[in-house]
Amino acid sequence: MIKEIKPANSLRGEIIPPPDKSISQRAAIFSLLHDGISEVKNFSKAEDPNSTLSCVQQMGAQVKRSNESLLITGTGRRGLRKPEKDLDCGNSGTAMRLLSGVLVGSCVPARLVGDESLSGRTMTRIINPLEKMGAHILARNSAYAPLFVTCNDGLKPMKYELPIPSAQLKSCILLAGLFGEDVTQVIEILPSRDHTERLLELDSVVTHGRKIISASRADEIPNQSYTIPGDFSSAAFWLVAGAIHNDAEIMLSGTGLNPSRNALLGVLEEMGADITIENERQEGAEPVGDIVVKSSDLRAIKLDPNIIPNCIDELPVIAIAMLFAEGISEISGAGELRHKETDRIMATGEILRAVGADFEEKEDGFIIHGNPDFTFDSAEFKSYHDHRIAMAASILSLKGTNPSKVIDAESAAVSYPEFWQHLKAASGN
Ligand code: S3P
């Protein structure tokens, strides 16, 4: 689908971001592992969480939908079923990596498949440690899906220092560890999103700046009865849209504010954005609030590489903010972007170059020469079937003089099916 996006005269109103994708996927998997019923409110209707939900159903979870909630009856760790068909993870790296951990821990054999994008993303980061824990994983070219996951005898627990700051890898190992008689420990040097530890109430300690998280069979798996907060990563598009637009005031109600996810707030504040947070509260294990963003005068920023894991999914839209900020901005230490749904350093560069921006690509990031008065007429943006690239390009389109086009815009539904409706409501287009 090609979406035409008109420039916006103003951006105003209240947006309720869609339910958090990462938390929804975890709610589905952890509800399967809980022996009993979980009532999950505000479960995401996006494609990735739907893929995860159908996988957990194939593994034995029973799912009933009532008005605003999902009732998920889990099998517990002992009752998992061998799926009769392939587990189709669609576009979701989180589904493939977290479910692999569950399959290895439980020693349930299965084949995991994904769409073209997911089948092109390396799985060696999980294959190597899972094989050390006793798994046999057959992968295309030893690295790519389809993955055929089997094991022989019992799980070998381990102490594992994460070689990359990845919440998917961390969660994969911890989920396998939950089946072991002895404790598995994951050591994290740079903090990545911590939903798994929070929602499973796993023990963790911080020593010498490293976080050590433990999991074993002795850990109870709590029921997952809570309300999923609004997705900060979806709210991010509006935070940037509001900050760069000359006539904007947007309220993002009920947005998740988990500190391991919300580094964009600090980034935008350091750039001079007018952002306030109201009504901070707790929804289950996660902090939530209403964020208000207004038109702002932005200045350039050099991002601290240590915060990259806490704004990893927001980097393409941060690049848009950098384009409208006074001065030279820089991101480095973000090589992981090359392993996302598409190579997001390349794709972000394509979007910015399409409007004539001064974008310098680096192996692990980029440099952008920004200007608050930057203007362009219109552009045709390639999204590379990547939801976050499609939405970042749409936010940029709002600043053109004439309508722009976003190619393969349907990919937004991977995380944010309501995006187009919200765009229309906020911009009046
Ligand atoms: C996710 C973790 C991040 C993120 C992805 C979702 C998760 O990936 O980019 O969109 O749900 O754990 P990595 O852990 O590979 O960095």
Side-chain angles (χ1 to χ4, degrees):
M1 156 180 123
I2 298 179
K3 193 90 188 169
E4 189 180 88
I5 310 214
K6 295 190 194 113
N9 292 328
S10 67
L11 287 172
R12 302 211 161 256
E14 181 192 4
I15 292 176
I16 300 175
D20 189 283
K21 171 165 90 76
S22 273
I23 299 177
S24 293
Q25 292 185 280
R26 284 163 173 77
I29 298 171
F30 304 166
S31 296
L32 166 74
L33 300 180
H34 171 69
D35 192 357
I37 299 178
S38 295
E39 183 177 7
V40 187
K41 294 199 175 118
N42 198 34
F43 189 86
S44 166
K45 295 186 173 65
E47 288 170 8
D48 273 5
N50 261 327
S51 302
T52 308
L53 198 60
S54 40
C55 291
V56 302
Q57 281 177 286
Q58 279 179 256
M59 293 172 75
Q62 284 174 20
V63 178
K64 263 200 216 143
R65 283 170 204 272
S66 70
N67 288 344
E68 278 309 295
S69 65
L70 281 187
L71 284 182
I72 306 180
T73 308
T75 60
R77 274 165 283 187
R78 293 223 190 107
L80 293 173
R81 224 170 48 198
K82 176 176 172 309
E84 281 165 14
K85 293 185 292 182
D86 290 346
L87 294 175
D88 188 351
C89 301
N91 191 247
S92 173
T94 300
M96 187 165 279
R97 293 180 174 133
L98 270 59
L99 288 170
S100 296
V102 172
L103 292 169
V104 168
S106 58
C107 216
V108 168
R111 210 169 86 110
L112 297 141
V113 298
D115 69 5
E116 199 183 322
S117 149
L118 184 55
S119 306
R121 295 174 68 183
T122 179
M123 292 295 144
T124 49
R125 58 185 59 194
I126 60 159
I127 294 174
N128 295 338
L130 286 177
E131 291 200 325
K132 285 201 184 108
M133 296 178 94
H136 296 293
I137 300 180
L138 219 68
R140 187 175 50 83
N141 291 340
S142 310
Y144 302 101
L147 301 183
F148 187 50
V149 180
T150 56
C151 70
N152 278 341
D153 21 65
L155 180 91
K156 292 186 210 132
M158 69 170 175
K159 197 168 182 166
Y160 184 65
E161 184 173 308
L162 292 169
I164 41 171
S166 159
Q168 291 179 354
L169 175 56
K170 166 172 71 175
S171 305
C172 166
I173 305 304
L174 289 170
L175 284 169
L178 276 174
F179 291 81
E181 192 160 343
D182 295 324
V183 176
T184 286
Q185 287 190 322
V186 174
I187 302 156
E188 185 173 62
I189 299 156
L190 272 189
S192 63
R193 65 188 70 190
D194 64 1
H195 306 304
T196 296
E197 303 91 292
R198 280 179 189 247
L199 299 172
L200 290 175
E201 297 169 12
L202 296 177
D203 285 340
S204 68
V205 286
V206 179
T207 43
H208 305 293
R210 297 160 161 232
K211 184 174 172 191
I212 305 173
I213 313 144
S214 305
S216 79
R217 196 185 287 171
D219 289 300
E220 289 272 325
I221 304 217
N223 82 55
Q224 301 291 307
S225 299
Y226 45 78
T227 302
I228 304 220
D231 198 327
F232 183 84
S233 300
S234 299
F237 297 104
W238 304 112
L239 290 176
V240 171
I244 63 175
H245 203 280
N246 297 336
D247 180 12
E249 179 167 348
I250 306 173
M251 150 100 78
L252 294 147
S253 307
T255 307
L257 289 174
N258 183 317
S260 65
R261 287 284 293 283
N262 72 7
L264 170 70
L265 286 179
V267 170
L268 285 176
E269 274 159 17
E270 200 181 323
M271 293 176 83
D274 184 347
I275 291 179
T276 45
I277 300 178
E278 299 170 1
N279 197 12
E280 279 189 69
R281 54 204 187 268
Q282 192 77 11
E283 300 263 19
E286 298 279 343
V288 171
D290 306 330
I291 314 175
V292 180
V293 59
K294 296 183 188 162
S295 312
S296 311
D297 295 323
L298 298 182
R299 50 185 177 266
I301 188 173
K302 192 169 177 194
L303 238 63
D304 173 0
N306 289 331
I307 66 159
I308 297 288
N310 311 124
C311 57
I312 186 75
D313 291 338
E314 291 69 72
L315 294 175
V317 81
I318 288 179
I320 310 290
M322 288 171 161
L323 176 61
F324 294 96
E326 180 72 54
I328 302 173
S329 291
E330 185 171 355
I331 293 181
S332 50
E336 270 296 300
L337 280 184
R338 297 211 181 263
H339 305 289
K340 295 296 174 189
E341 285 81 333
T342 189
D343 173 344
R344 286 187 177 159
I345 295 182
M346 172 280 295
T348 302
E350 290 283 308
I351 288 182
L352 266 73
R353 288 194 196 103
V355 297
D358 187 341
F359 180 94
E360 235 177 277
E361 183 168 332
K362 301 192 302 171
E363 191 41 44
D364 66 344
F366 40 80
I367 296 170
I368 294 171
H369 295 247
N371 172 6
D373 302 320
F374 183 85
T375 51
F376 67 97
D377 181 64
S378 64
E380 191 168 294
F381 297 109
K382 288 188 213 146
S383 66
Y384 296 89
H385 299 277
D386 182 322
H387 54 131
R388 299 207 195 277
I389 299 296
M391 291 185 277
S394 305
I395 294 307
L396 178 53
S397 302
L398 296 173
K399 291 280 287 183
T401 318
N402 277 302
S404 292
K405 286 182 179 151
V406 178
I407 301 170
D408 298 326
E410 71 283 350
S411 60
V414 161
S415 59
Y416 194 170
E418 311 83 346
F419 180 75
W420 308 111
Q421 239 171 288
H422 290 178
L423 183 91
K424 204 169 168 192
S427 66
N429 286 335

